[in-house]
Each structure stands twice: as C-alpha cells, then as structure tokens.
C-alpha cells in the first residue's frame, strides 16, 4: 500500500513531537536540580554551595558538548547522533538518581550535560529537515518550545513531584522521558540534517570584535540570570525564611513564557535590537535589586520574579538579530556561539554563586552580586558593542535575513 502525502505528513509531525519530548526532558533536567538543591544537599550531607556545582558541570558540558562532539559525530546519520545523545543523557540521569556521593553526582551531571548538548541542536536541525520548507518554522518552534516548556513549566512540576517521591524519583521520571524518545527516534526516516557548527568555527568568528562583544554580553546575561536561578531556594530561605520554592519558580516561569512570546514581535515592530537589549538588561538589574526588598512580601516578590524571568528569556532574541547583522554569511555559526555563551555563563554563574556561599556570605545578598554582573553586561553593550556596531555595518536583504534566521534556529 502506497503512503499518501497526508499520511506522510502525519508521521513526520509525530516524529517532530518525539523530538520535542526529548527537548522537554532536556529543559526539565537542566534546571530542576536548582529547585532540588536543598534536598540533594541534605541527602548527600554536603553544603548547598557544593551541591550547586551539579548545575555548573551540567551547563558547562552542555555549552561545550554540542561543538566538540558535533565534530566527533560528523558524517553520521541524524538518528544515530540523536539516539546516542539521548542514551548518554539517560545514562547520566540514571547515575544521578543512584548517586551515593557528591563526586559521583557531579560525574553523572557532566554525562547528562554532554548528551543534552549534543541532542538539542541536532534535534532542531532534524525537525527542520522533516518539515520541509513550508512548515520548517512551525516544526522548529515545536522542538525548541519543548525545551523552554520543560524549563519554565516542567521544573516547578518536577520540584512539586519531588515533595512526594523524593528528588531521585524526579530523576527517574526524566530518565523515562528520555528513553521513550529514544525508542521513537529509532524509527526516524533518513532525512538531511546539517550538524551543529564545530568548536573551531565558533571560535574563529570571535575575531570580529562586534561578535565577541555580543557573545560576552550574552555570557554575562546568562551568568546573572541563570546563575541566580540555581540558588533561588537558598536565596528565599536566607532572605525570608521561606521554603516555598515552587511558587517562586512558577512566577519566574510565567515571566519567561511572556518574555519568549512577546519579544519577537517587539523586535520585528521596532527593528531596534540594540536598544531593546539595553532595556532588557536594565530591567534585569532592577528586578535583581528588588528581590531582597520584596522577599518578605509574597505577592510583591512575584513582580521582580516575573520581570526577571521575562528579561532573562527575552534577551537572546535581539542578541541573535545583532549577530545575524554582524555575520550574515556565518549566521548559524554566530548564533550557535551565542547559545554556547549563554550556557557557559550559566555554568560560571553557578560556580561563582557556590563560591560566594562557601565564603559564608548570606544567600540573601546574591541578587546584588548578579545585578553587578548584569550592569557589567549593560556597560559592555553600551560601549564596546556600540563602538563596533558603528564601525561595521552589514546590511542584510530581507529575504536573506529570513533564510539566515531559519538556519540559526536550527543551529541552536
């Protein structure tokens, strides 16, 4: 029996949803450990500063995993790369759920981060190949939306689940999601999918001062926003004696959804990504400075949490626009570099936050530290990035820019 176009389209849509399921598991796994931090620290008899390094190693390996292992896996079929990535990711989560000590836990999180870093960009590229030209944007949105939903909605749900089955139970759920996606991916058809850019290509374009400046701004933004998120539970305990982490995560996640949904329209309407980045960083600074003052007032605290989430998730869209303008001929490489910068910033933020807490500083003061980092990003944005933007202008025809944007979404 021949396969009709409608049946083929339905099957391919199902495969895209399987890719999105894997992305959801990745987004959940990346930051659910931040909400589980107090439980993990208590269970393993270590400090919260030490336990926080599990987020550091995951995000660090995520940032470096894609470009490094993309080179190693170059030339292999997409479903082989995706299957191997999810198996490594799932193995890391099994080891996390069984970890008897902090060193084993850190090794497990590194393994999961490597798998996640390899899976995410290849899943986006595969979804683009499955969809065809006319539905490419929609398929990419489904896959990348799976990851963002896993972070902003799945993380609070995972923390809530841990209250009933323990933190290890949440990790078993993530493992199950990853393995379900593996089974589905084995049935993927052979489709063309460009591998993510290798590390040497990402480093090479840093010779462009404008690209380097934008990437460092993204790194500092990730350090401030995602780094503080890692220690949200200790901050709430220190600033207000509160253990209601789930509610705070919901507020942050709601802001993240709003920021992600609205920022694209704002950039398209204003066509001023440079100014928008400046405003976003300013809002991030204000939100972090307001957190310690509103921590004792539950409803007031939701305002800076929502603003923080919205600013953190909105920042990368105008940053990507600037990178496309800076390197129109290398757009996928430039935006892939930006993605690595964000997660590297998250790793640095988690490490620095743990160092600050290890010195005995009150967790309630962490937002002041991250506000300083966001201010440094704003200063760099207004000086070095502005300087190079004025020196080098790269006009991009509208059609070519649309094509570059589709390619860069796949590169993430």
């Amino acid at each position: 029996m021949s396969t009709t176009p409608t049946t083929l389209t339905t099957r391919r849509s199902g495969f895209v949803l399987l890719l999105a399921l894997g992305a959801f598991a990745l987004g959940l796994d990346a930051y659910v450990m931040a909400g589980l931090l107090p439980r993990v620290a208590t269970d393993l008899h270590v400090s919260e500063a030490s336990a926080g390094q599990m987020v550091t190693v995951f995000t660090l390996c995520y940032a470096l995993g894609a470009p490094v292992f993309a080179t190693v896996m170059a030339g292999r079929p997409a479903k082989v790369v995706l299957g191997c990535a999810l198996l490594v990711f799932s193995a890391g989560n099994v080891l996390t759920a069984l970890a008897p000590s902090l060193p084993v836990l850190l090794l497990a999180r590194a393994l999961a981060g490597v798998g996640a870093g390899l899976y995410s960009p290849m899943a986006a590229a595969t979804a683009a190949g499955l969809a065809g030209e006319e539905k490419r944007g929609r398929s990419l949105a489904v896959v990348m939306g799976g990851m963002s939903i896993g972070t902003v909605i799945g993380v609070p749900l995972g923390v809530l689940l841990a209250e009933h089955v323990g933190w290890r139970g949440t990790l078993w759920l993530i493992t199950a999601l990853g393995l379900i996606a593996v089974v589905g991916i084995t049935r993927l058809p052979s489709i063309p999918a460009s591998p993510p850019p290798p590390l040497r290509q990402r480093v090479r374009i840093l010779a462009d001062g404008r690209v380097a400046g934008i990437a460092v701004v993204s790194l500092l933004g990730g350090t401030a926003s995602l780094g503080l998120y890692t220690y949200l539970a200790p901050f709430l305990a220190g600033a207000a004696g509160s253990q209601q982490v789930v509610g705070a995560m919901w507020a942050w996640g709601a802001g993240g959804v709003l920021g992600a949904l609205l920022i694209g329209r704002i950039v398209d309407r204003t066509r001023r990504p440079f100014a928008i980045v400046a405003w976003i960083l300013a809002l991030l600074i204000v939100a972090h400075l307001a957190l310690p003052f509103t921590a004792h007032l539950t409803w007031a605290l939701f305002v800076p949490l929502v603003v923080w989430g919205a600013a953190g998730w909105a920042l990368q869209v105008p940053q990507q626009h600037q990178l496309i303008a800076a390197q129109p001929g290398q757009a996928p490489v430039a935006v892939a570099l930006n993605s690595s910068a964000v997660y590297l910033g998250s790793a640095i933020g988690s490490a620095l936050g743990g160092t600050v807490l290890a010195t005995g500083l009150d967790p309630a003061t962490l937002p002041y530290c991250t506000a300083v980092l966001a201010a440094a990003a704003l200063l760099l944005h207004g000086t070095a990035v502005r300087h190079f933007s004025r020196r080098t202008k790269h006009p991009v025809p509208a059609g070519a820019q649309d094509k570059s944007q589709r390619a860069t979404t796949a590169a993430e």
Side-chain angles (χ1 to χ4, degrees), residues 254-348:
V257 171
L258 287 174
L261 290 176
L262 297 178
I263 190 60
R265 296 181 182 181
I266 293 173
V267 172
D268 288 342
R269 181 170 296 182
T270 64
R271 297 186 180 277
R272 298 181 63 191
F274 181 90
I276 291 171
V277 170
W279 278 105
I280 288 173
L281 289 172
L283 285 173
L284 188 62
I285 294 167
V286 171
H288 281 203
L289 290 176
L291 284 170
F293 295 99
T294 58
H296 293 280
L297 305 170
T298 303
W299 292 107
L301 176 63
F302 283 171
V303 176
L305 284 171
V306 170
V307 173
W308 166 22
W313 277 89
L315 178 62
Q316 298 316 313
V317 171
Q319 287 287 83
Q320 290 171 1
H321 275 252
Q322 292 189 100
L323 283 165
I324 292 169
Q327 287 283 341
Q330 295 286 331
V333 182
V335 179
L337 170 69
N338 188 68
S339 179
S340 290
V342 172
Y343 280 96
L344 182 60
S346 175
I348 293 172

Side-chain angles (χ1 to χ4, degrees), residues 121 124-129 131-141 144 194 320-321 324 328 331-332 335 398-412:
T126 303
E133 187 72 25
E134 69 283 355
K135 293 185 178 180
R136 181 169 297 165
R138 192 180 307 171
S139 293
L140 288 170
M144 302 315 293
S194 301
Q320 290 171 1
H321 275 252
I324 292 169
V335 179
Q401 183 162 345
D402 290 342
K403 185 176 180 180
S404 295
Q405 286 176 322
R406 288 195 297 269
T408 53
T409 306
E412 289 184 275

Side-chain angles (χ1 to χ4, degrees), residues 173-210:
L173 171 63
I174 297 171
T175 301
L177 292 174
L179 291 176
I180 291 170
V182 170
V183 173
I185 283 169
T186 60
R187 301 183 62 191
L188 273 176
S190 297
I191 50 95
S194 301
L199 184 61
R200 63 180 179 275
Q201 285 185 265
R202 303 190 192 202
V203 174
R204 189 181 302 148
I205 66 167
L206 286 173
D208 184 327
R210 187 179 178 190

